[in-house]
Amino acid sequence: MIRKPLEFIVGRAIPLGLKNIDTDIIIAAEWLKTVSRAGLGQGAFAVLREDPDNVFDDPRFAGAPILIAGDNFGCGSSREHAAWAIADMGIRAIVAPGFSDIFASNAFKNGIATIVLPQAAVDTLMNVAQDEDLTVDIRGQFVLTENGDRFEFELDPFRRHCLMEGLDEIDLTMKLEDRIAAFERQSVQAVS
Amino acid sequence: MTPRTMYEKIWDAHVVDRREDGTCLIYIDRHLVHEVTSPQAFEGLRAAGRRVRRPDLTLAVPDHNLPTTPRRDAAGNRIPISDPQSAQQLELLESNAPSFGIRYIGDADAEQGIVHVVGPEQGFTLPGTTLVCGDSHTSSHGALGALAFGIGTSEVEHVLATQTLMLKRSKTMEVRVEGELPPGVSPKDVALAIVALIGTGGATGHVIEYRGSTFDAMSIEGRLTVANMAIEAGARSGLFAPDEKTLAYLAGRSMAPKGKAFDEAARRWLALASDEGATYDRSVTIDAARIAPAVTWGTSPEDVVAIDGTVPSPDSFTDASKRTSARQALDYMDLKPGQKMAEIEVQNVFIGSCTNSRIEDLRAAAGILKGRHIANSILQALVVPGSGLVKRQAEAEGLDRVFIDAGFEWREPGCSACLGMNPDKVPAGERCASTSNRNFMGRQGPGARTHLVSPAVAAATAVAGHLCDARMLEGLDQ
Ligand code: SF4
């Protein structure tokens, strides 16, 4: 997938906060029959949206590019639809104390930065996000509040590079085309 | 040279590039594509203006969404599929495959079937190859000595575009089963025994290698059943070293090498076995004599008991989270601790899925059904061959008659009731003895209660109307 380079993200952050949000909550199984990555945002967090006071439909957070979540976000199945749904909502960064491995990898593959911060920092950001914009700086590796509080995080260097350059893994691999071609000349078992 | 395991040999032979952090770009020799996990990958290729690098190494087959009722009417016209989303996924595969130059086996072709049945059967799956598919049960192909694993849709797109994947090396785990299986114990019972022993997450991060005299004696089809369930123990892949049985199975398969090329390949394949003295990160051993016809009681494939056993008490588990999930499972399954498994009545029987839909599975089930009839209390009994070729072979042997005379429905190949994506489902609250691989909540349809069993146990259960194996059935006959 071709995507835009991501150096920093500035805007409202949805203060979700809940722990153990699983992939079924992010996107229900009935959406697995889709044939496109687009449009899944409509089904995202449907169970939570049944509550009229949910954060997603709060006009203050309309179009927010950042999501703040609780620990173990994205646990459950490996369905990539969860990442597609969140990307389709326009979210480019998720801040949480921890993520399921597969979800983090799927999110990265779809150009979403998963930012791990300690629970205390996440709690602070949850409060700040009620009224203020946040800045997630991928280059500098910190989250910044409007009054200048900084929360530093670390990203895997490879993922950070890809996010900043707007590279997807296919682009990177295609740069090794010579090697792939050389490998193919030597050792591929043909299908007869 | 240091002795290497089979996994290490296949891995080393496929490294295209190595990054500083140890991640490797691995060449992929074979890619199976089905309709569920591919549409977004093709969409991504189109959006980026990319082509499929090696369509000749890619094979597309629809299976998950296809109804197992006839697909063409008497005039040969396609019978429309009622679920519009299923229809759309199928149509997209049918149009994406030719527009990207990929070989496509269609819904009405004799070779159509479940990807994991079709790959080995066509000789598309070969020893020593790396094989991927956007489906977790891709581990099946390890039965032939292919390093095979399931991938997500972004990875499907990556393989289509580059014929490679960025991967980290896995750990290795030896699963050794020694000795002769007791009468009536099938490869499925071995597969369930392994999952029960290791646990569903027990082999996470590992590639399993199956070794020992039990597997040496097991047919390729039996090995396919065992490797199919490697993923249920958390291993993305399971491997069997190629042997004479592997060669005999592959000789003459339509996409396998022929003549001299086959003989040369065969020499390479036989050299894939782990070297003497190679070490594994973990090893477990099971005594074949202790494996019994098995059945699951809960909603995880590790929830296994012998069919003559009882529903366990959640309190019997030492792990607190297991106690909680066991309680939830019993609630969902509507079972009580201490209940005899063989007294549990079922309303549905499903013989099929990539675990147990090959000819030997159908023979095993038919062997029990011959001259018998399913119980009146059975509401649905399906036999779904894994492929059109299996179906034809079974018909040539007269197995279809045995099933039909016994009261089973004889269907077209596909995933069927293994998962609730096509019209074959288990109704809410009903119980199913199923030869598939997952008993998750809602897997066979919302509210469906699944008991995983072997084909022989499924057949005996259909006759008895309650969970039952061949030995018990003979007792009932007298
Ligand atoms: S038969 Fe079941 S497990 Fe196998 S590929 Fe189909 S849905 Fe997956």
Side-chain angles (χ1 to χ4, degrees):
Chain A
M1 247 198 358
I2 298 293
R3 67 173 68 95
K4 292 197 207 91
L6 192 64
E7 283 192 48
F8 45 85
I9 305 141
V10 187
R12 297 308 301 256
I14 304 171
L16 174 63
L18 301 171
K19 264 190 189 165
N20 296 326
I21 292 290
D22 63 45
T23 46
D24 273 280
I25 299 177
I26 300 173
I27 190 83
E30 66 199 67
W31 286 85
L32 300 190
K33 283 199 171 188
T34 55
V35 296
S36 173
R37 287 176 167 105
L40 283 161
Q42 293 164 46
F45 301 103
V47 240
L48 301 180
R49 285 181 139 151
E50 281 168 16
D51 173 359
D53 294 328
N54 77 82
V55 283
F56 298 102
D57 295 317
D58 184 329
R60 286 181 298 163
F61 307 118
I66 303 166
L67 176 67
I68 308 178
D71 201 8
N72 198 24
F73 186 81
C75 57
S77 102
S78 63
R79 64 182 69 148
E80 207 167 312
H81 298 70
W84 297 337
I86 289 175
D88 192 57
M89 291 169 73
I91 288 169
R92 299 298 304 272
I94 309 174
V95 181
F99 295 89
S100 104
D101 280 350
I102 297 184
F103 176 80
S105 151
N106 285 336
F108 161 68
K109 290 191 166 97
N110 289 279
I112 300 167
T114 51
I115 311 288
V116 178
L117 284 178
Q119 185 69 52
V122 171
D123 292 343
T124 310
L125 291 174
M126 286 280 293
N127 275 326
V128 174
Q130 297 294 335
D131 317 291
E132 292 177 22
D133 282 5
L134 296 180
T135 299
V136 176
D137 191 324
I138 305 287
R139 179 174 295 280
Q141 303 195 80
F142 57 81
V143 180
L144 190 68
T145 65
E146 283 181 4
N147 64 17
D149 287 337
R150 265 167 79 115
F151 300 90
E152 307 214 338
F153 59 80
E154 260 184 62
L155 278 177
D156 172 80
F158 170 71
R159 286 189 180 174
R160 175 166 162 265
H161 171 74
C162 292
L163 288 169
M164 289 197 323
E165 301 292 321
L167 292 175
D168 73 354
E169 287 184 324
I170 298 180
D171 286 319
L172 287 171
T173 302
M174 283 187 147
K175 291 188 178 153
L176 299 169
E177 142 76 15
D178 287 357
R179 302 260 186 122
I180 300 172
F183 184 94
E184 281 176 333
R185 281 191 294 275
Q186 281 179 7
S187 35
V188 173
Q189 298 194 44
V191 177
S192 54
Chain B
M1 223 164 78
T2 39
R4 290 183 299 168
T5 61
M6 184 178 172
Y7 170 67
E8 288 155 350
K9 291 183 191 183
I10 301 179
W11 175 273
D12 291 347
H14 288 84
V15 175
V16 175
D17 191 52
R18 201 180 303 264
R19 265 201 335 239
E20 264 171 37
D21 65 355
T23 313
C24 290
L25 189 67
I26 294 294
Y27 197 83
I28 302 300
D29 297 309
R30 298 285 186 274
H31 187 187
L32 284 160
V33 176
H34 63 84
E35 78 278 17
V36 181
T37 49
S38 66
Q40 285 90 348
F42 286 117
E43 177 194 53
L45 289 183
R46 258 197 206 95
R50 290 173 179 141
R51 63 190 178 89
V52 174
R53 182 179 180 87
R54 293 295 299 267
D56 58 320
L57 301 180
T58 312
L59 178 64
V61 196
D63 55 7
H64 285 64
N65 281 283
L66 277 177
T68 57
T69 43
R71 291 155 191 170
R72 294 288 188 273
D73 62 18
N77 297 317
R78 175 172 280 164
I79 299 171
I81 288 170
S82 55
D83 175 7
Q85 287 183 303
S86 290
Q88 192 186 18
Q89 286 194 335
L90 291 162
E91 280 161 22
L92 275 174
L93 186 66
E94 195 172 15
S95 62
N96 279 327
S99 62
F100 285 94
I102 296 168
R103 193 182 318 211
Y104 175 71
I105 297 178
D107 63 337
D109 292 332
E111 297 82 9
Q112 182 271 331
I114 306 168
V115 274
H116 310 312
V117 175
V118 172
E121 181 177 82
Q122 292 297 320
F124 182 76
T125 309
L126 294 180
T129 56
T130 47
L131 182 151
V132 297
C133 174
D135 186 279
S136 58
H137 293 97
T138 308
S139 59
S140 311
H141 306 258
L144 292 167
L147 178 60
F149 49 90
I151 55 177
T153 298
S154 282
E155 291 170 308
V156 169
E157 187 179 336
H158 193 279
V159 174
L160 288 171
T162 69
Q163 206 60 33
T164 62
L165 276 178
M166 278 285 182
L167 295 170
K168 286 212 164 80
R169 196 146 138 167
S170 302
K171 295 190 191 126
T172 53
M173 178 169 185
E174 174 188 41
V175 173
R176 197 171 259 287
V177 184
E178 296 284 1
E180 206 176 316
L181 290 170
V185 175
S186 75
K188 178 63 164 286
D189 302 309
V190 177
L192 288 168
I194 293 170
V195 179
L197 176 74
I198 303 177
T200 46
T204 304
H206 292 73
V207 164
I208 291 177
E209 187 179 331
Y210 299 98
R211 286 154 62 91
S213 59
T214 311
F215 295 128
D216 294 342
M218 194 179 276
S219 71
I220 296 298
E221 299 205 347
R223 295 177 192 177
L224 281 159
T225 300
V226 171
N228 177 270
M229 292 194 71
I231 183 71
E232 305 311 332
R236 269 172 98 185
S237 306
L239 286 168
F240 284 84
D243 59 8
E244 292 300 328
K245 286 197 170 83
T246 318
L247 302 186
Y249 177 91
L250 284 169
R253 302 268 165 192
S254 84
M255 299 184 191
K258 311 271 169 349
K260 242 183 88 193
F262 184 89
D263 298 337
E264 274 164 26
R267 257 192 307 276
R268 284 200 314 272
W269 296 341
L270 292 177
L272 286 166
S274 292
D275 295 330
E276 191 76 42
T279 54
Y280 299 84
D281 295 296
R282 277 180 70 194
S283 283
V284 297
T285 303
I286 304 177
D287 176 2
R290 303 185 55 156
I291 302 177
V295 58
T296 59
W297 53 267
T299 53
S300 162
E302 69 181 17
D303 296 341
V304 175
V305 282
I307 191 143
D308 52 8
T310 56
V311 177
S313 161
D315 298 328
S316 66
F317 297 101
T318 45
D319 181 65
S321 68
K322 183 68 199 175
R323 281 200 293 274
T324 315
S325 56
R327 260 181 223 113
Q328 281 168 352
L330 290 190
D331 196 37
Y332 180 85
M333 295 295 291
D334 191 27
L335 295 174
K336 301 262 167 322
Q339 230 173 316
K340 284 200 171 115
M341 292 310 294
E343 284 175 1
I344 296 171
E345 291 182 2
V346 311
Q347 297 77 38
N348 301 265
V349 175
F350 170 56
I351 299 176
S353 90
C354 56
T355 320
N356 282 127
S357 62
R358 284 166 289 266
I359 192 69
E360 289 177 11
D361 301 316
L362 302 190
R363 285 180 193 142
I368 287 174
L369 291 170
K370 202 166 175 90
R372 292 186 165 119
H373 199 275
I374 62 172
N376 285 334
S377 55
I378 299 287
L379 304 174
Q380 178 176 250
L382 296 180
V383 196
V384 186
S387 73
L389 297 190
V390 172
K391 183 169 187 247
R392 261 204 295 198
Q393 174 68 28
E395 287 169 354
E397 295 178 19
L399 304 184
D400 57 326
R401 286 309 332 162
V402 175
F403 284 114
I404 292 165
D405 291 348
F408 271 81
E409 293 177 52
W410 180 244
R411 296 292 190 91
E412 298 298 319
C415 293
S416 185
C418 175
L419 90 173
M421 249 187 143
N422 57 72
D424 301 345
K425 289 182 181 59
V426 174
E430 289 185 16
R431 231 173 255 294
C432 181
S434 175
T435 66
S436 54
N437 45 40
R438 283 189 173 154
N439 51 351
F440 298 165
M441 293 183 190
R443 169 83 177 180
Q444 296 192 292
R449 298 175 175 137
T450 304
H451 296 276
L452 301 178
V453 293
S454 70
V457 169
T461 299
V463 173
H466 54 77
L467 292 170
C468 181
D469 73 357
R471 299 166 298 177
M472 300 172 181
L473 199 59
E474 269 158 32
L476 295 177
D477 283 347
Q478 279 151 23

